[in-house]
Amino acid sequence: MSAEEIPDDDTHPRAPSRHKTRRHRTMGWFRWLLLGVGTVVAVVGAFGYLLYRDAASARDSLTAAMDEIPTARAALADGDVSAAQESLARIQPLTASARSHTDGPLWSLGAKLPVIGPDLEAVTTAAAVVDDLSHDVLPPLADIAGTATSAELLESGDGIALQPLIDAAPKAAEAARAVDSAQARLAGIDPTRLHEEVAGPFAKVVNGTDEVVSVAHTAQRLTALAPVMLGSDGPRLYLVAALNNAELRATGGIPGAFAVISVDDGRVALASQATALDVGPFEKPVLPLTEADQELYTDRLGRFVQDTTLTPDYPTTAALMATMWRDAKGQSVDGVIATDPIALSYLLKATGPVEVEGKAITGDNAVEQLLSTAYAERGSKTDGFFSAVAANVLRAVVDGKADSGAARQALDRAATEHRLLMWSAHPEEQEQLVDTVVSGALNTAPRAASSIGVFYNDATGGKMDYYFGSKVRVTDTTCTGAGRKDQFDMDLSSRAPGDAATSLHPYVTGQEVGIVQPGFMRTIVVLYAARGGEISDVLINGRSVPTQTADENGRQVRTFTQDLAPGQTARLTFTALTPTVDGGGVAAAQLASSTGKLDFWTTPTTTMPGLRTFDVAACESGD
């Protein structure tokens, strides 16, 4: 039988078996499959190893860099350019290393993978952002800090040199734009999609960037505003109000003395002085008052210059003061600056003692001399002495007699304690000031939306608040479906001597007014919730307190009156609910709640600053 005649029959000895052929084909495909799977496993393994290696290197570099950034930020805030540059020299190689280990096609491809893709994208973004900050933002900020704190700015006896600030403005604006861009890139990452190992370090990068944002915007505002406000475009007049903490008002104290300073191309001069008795009173409010202000503080807020500080919102206070000054003196001012004797005591450590009426007033004795001894010796005639001391300190500063570094530190401290407040009559300047620490803008500052406030208005009719003390604690903080709930304890106390009724001047005890028993102090306590929030469970020594309630610009406000005998302490407790989102859909608590920080505003007293920040629960929307 020929080959052509071989039957198609697998039983023939020369015919190929169909089963063997099928097995051969199956085994071939299986080997190819194994080879393919093995290749994929090898590639994925190598891919994973390379990513892990790079991620580990980037993590170590980023961690070290982020640990160093607070040092650089603090040096910038202190104006220590040398320390900032040394810190940057340590940061920059670390951020460059982190970026190089998280850049390239492997990481671009990895970011598209399921499960781990969001983590890889977050690491890549964080490394790029921190590297940009260290090379493009922090170095110019260090240069600007050097300019702003340079002794050359203070031309002794001839005011402030403005040209260095003007020259630094473009660089500051560019740094602010760059840091805003960095913050926006980080905001594009959804932290809820990150694994715990990445989420923690990423949050640290976000928080560190937020701190740099604050420094950058401060530099931008300083270089943009300072030259104009100091007269680069023409002369300016500012009203300076000295607030008296011995008779408390929500903003700080009753305005006891005034001065007007003129500024022209950086040259500062004292133009005039006056006491509160030289301004008003007025038959009706000099400006329209809100319904809440009328309800909480009566029309005295707009009629008596001494009562313009009843509200804790400083722009409201300053606008009223400026209008009253214009109506009483026929002089319009470009802004209003407020300060107190505690801030003056800080400045006196920079200027050295000033002598007024034969007394040497120093940084150590200024508070006691102005708020206690002066009343014992002069009674109701103290305002003139108060005014003279404030004017002499101001004159020493503008004449270049203060140590520039110590003066800057004194002003920084006073500002962070809400003892130095500033308002501009020019809307475009006020808009830039509103979210700064010196604005005191409780009603309009975005950052203040999530703040809680407790303020004090004296109702004794004397000067007993020199002896007033307060301490505050957060005793509990939790996240709820409605927002964050914080519980507070506050000790309100009188340090007045037991024989205050007889040992203190009648003008101090309010005996001449006759509102309260001599030696006692009466205080109107004003509680402000966060915008869209509420205050509840208001207790004094464990007992419920009847309160008056009002709505001030979307904030619930509750007030009550508390009397204190000499040496007495009353324990105030209350709960504040801060919503994660307010009624208008705006993240009212975003700045404080999501970061676990709470700004607590209060009246600055002789013993307590007007602004403190507490660690609280970090609550996101939906918690």
Side-chain angles (χ1 to χ4, degrees):
M1 183 180 290
S2 67
E4 290 77 5
E5 294 173 330
I6 296 174
D8 187 14
D9 183 351
D10 61 9
T11 62
H12 194 281
R14 293 175 59 191
S17 166
R18 289 191 178 96
H19 298 298
K20 290 181 179 179
T21 301
R22 292 190 186 103
R23 284 199 300 270
H24 177 75
R25 290 172 179 170
T26 301
M27 290 301 293
W29 281 109
F30 187 65
R31 282 194 296 269
W32 279 107
L33 179 62
L34 286 177
L35 179 61
V37 170
T39 301
V40 170
V41 169
V43 170
V44 171
F47 182 69
Y49 168 74
L50 292 173
L51 285 176
Y52 175 79
R53 182 198 64 187
D54 287 345
S57 297
R59 177 200 61 202
D60 293 343
S61 296
L62 272 180
T63 299
M66 293 309 299
D67 287 343
E68 185 68 33
I69 279 183
T71 302
R73 180 186 178 280
L76 290 174
D78 292 340
D80 190 341
V81 180
S82 176
Q85 290 173 337
E86 290 174 3
S87 185
L88 279 174
R90 294 189 292 270
I91 291 172
Q92 288 173 339
L94 295 170
T95 62
S97 173
R99 187 171 200 157
S100 67
H101 281 95
T102 58
D103 197 9
L106 278 180
W107 283 81
S108 296
L109 180 60
K112 296 177 173 60
L113 293 175
V115 184
I116 65 169
D119 294 317
L120 299 180
E121 183 183 9
V123 173
T124 300
T125 302
V129 162
V130 175
D131 192 43
D132 286 344
L133 292 180
S134 70
H135 286 87
D136 300 334
V137 176
L138 292 176
L141 289 182
D143 293 341
I144 294 166
T147 299
T149 59
S150 171
E152 295 177 2
L153 277 182
L154 294 175
E155 301 174 345
S156 181
D158 197 31
I160 300 170
L162 302 182
Q163 195 58 47
L165 294 174
I166 295 172
D167 293 341
K171 190 184 299 184
E174 180 58 34
R177 284 192 292 269
V179 79
D180 284 345
S181 174
Q183 192 177 45
R185 288 158 65 191
L186 292 175
I189 302 295
D190 183 359
T192 63
R193 299 180 64 196
L194 305 181
H195 289 89
E196 184 178 350
E197 296 80 2
V198 174
F202 184 78
K204 191 172 184 179
V205 171
V206 171
N207 292 337
T209 302
D210 289 345
E211 291 183 353
V212 178
V213 168
S214 174
V215 175
H217 281 273
T218 297
Q220 186 271 327
R221 289 188 186 102
L222 173 67
T223 55
L225 285 177
V228 176
M229 295 185 74
L230 290 171
S232 64
D233 293 348
R236 291 288 186 96
L237 288 176
Y238 294 99
L239 181 65
V240 180
L243 307 184
N244 188 336
N245 312 86
E247 187 173 353
L248 290 177
R249 294 288 186 269
T251 303
I254 190 171
F258 294 96
V260 174
I261 57 174
S262 63
V263 187
D264 188 8
D265 197 25
R267 292 180 293 274
V268 185
L270 181 63
S272 62
Q273 296 173 242
T275 70
L277 297 178
D278 298 320
V279 183
F282 302 90
E283 291 186 5
K284 61 181 182 179
V286 296
L287 291 175
L289 303 178
T290 67
E291 182 178 343
D293 283 341
Q294 287 266 17
E295 185 178 351
L296 291 167
Y297 311 118
T298 76
D299 69 354
R300 295 182 64 89
L301 177 68
R303 295 178 51 236
F304 293 84
V305 74
Q306 298 92 330
D307 290 327
T308 54
T309 48
L310 283 169
T311 171
D313 184 61
Y314 182 67
T316 298
T317 290
L320 289 168
M321 282 186 182
T323 305
M324 289 182 181
W325 185 264
R326 182 201 64 196
D327 291 352
K329 299 291 186 179
Q331 183 181 52
S332 295
V333 295
D334 295 286
V336 181
I337 301 166
T339 189
D340 67 11
I342 294 85
L344 287 180
S345 75
Y346 301 159
L347 272 176
L348 278 162
K349 294 183 183 297
T351 65
V354 298
E355 187 169 321
V356 178
E357 298 182 13
K359 285 186 176 292
I361 309 299
T362 70
D364 294 326
N365 71 11
V367 176
E368 186 272 336
Q369 284 288 330
L370 290 171
L371 300 180
S372 178
T373 302
Y375 290 111
E377 297 175 350
R378 298 171 178 81
S380 61
K381 301 183 184 296
T382 300
D383 283 349
F385 178 72
F386 195 109
S387 178
V389 171
N392 282 3
V393 173
L394 180 63
R395 187 177 290 111
V397 173
V398 301
D399 286 348
K401 295 178 181 178
D403 176 89
S404 59
R408 178 179 54 79
Q409 290 176 357
L411 293 173
D412 285 347
R413 181 180 179 185
T416 57
E417 294 182 1
H418 279 186
R419 300 185 189 278
L420 177 63
L421 300 170
M422 183 178 298
W423 170 82
S424 174
H426 302 270
E428 67 280 4
E429 295 172 7
Q430 179 59 21
E431 184 177 355
Q432 291 200 61
L433 283 173
V434 73
D435 209 29
T436 66
V437 72
V438 297
S439 77
L442 185 64
N443 287 346
T444 53
R447 177 170 177 170
S450 54
S451 301
I452 307 298
V454 177
F455 304 98
Y456 312 114
N457 282 314
D458 176 79
T460 308
K463 296 294 185 286
M464 289 293 295
D465 288 323
Y466 172 73
Y467 303 100
F468 179 84
S470 63
K471 293 181 180 179
V472 59
R473 297 171 296 278
V474 177
T475 58
D476 188 49
T477 174
T478 56
C479 298
T480 72
R484 192 189 66 236
K485 280 192 174 183
D486 301 310
Q487 294 181 2
F488 295 88
D489 276 1
M490 296 193 70
D491 288 335
L492 311 179
S493 61
S494 169
R495 296 177 288 106
D499 61 350
T502 55
S503 64
L504 299 180
H505 195 286
Y507 183 72
V508 173
T509 62
Q511 187 172 343
E512 297 176 354
V513 180
I515 296 176
V516 299
Q517 182 178 336
F520 281 59
M521 61 177 66
R522 177 169 294 173
T523 304
I524 299 172
V525 182
V526 188
L527 310 177
Y528 272 69
R531 194 164 301 151
E534 63 180 32
I535 300 291
S536 62
D537 305 323
V538 182
L539 308 174
I540 286 288
N541 297 329
R543 296 185 176 182
S544 181
V545 178
T547 62
Q548 174 190 357
T549 304
D551 180 278
E552 175 70 275
N553 197 40
R555 294 179 183 269
Q556 185 191 70
V557 183
R558 301 183 67 174
T559 71
F560 66 92
T561 301
Q562 179 64 38
D563 285 1
L564 292 172
Q568 182 182 3
T569 295
R571 171 69 57 85
L572 164 65
T573 61
F574 65 93
T575 299
L577 170 67
T578 300
T580 305
V581 177
D582 71 9
V586 178
Q590 182 178 356
L591 287 173
S593 292
S594 62
T595 59
K597 300 292 182 183
L598 165 67
D599 283 346
F600 183 88
W601 290 36
T602 189
T603 301
T605 67
T606 57
T607 58
M608 185 173 178
L611 177 64
R612 294 185 61 183
T613 300
F614 290 105
D615 292 325
V616 292
C619 304
E620 300 289 349
S621 179
D623 283 355

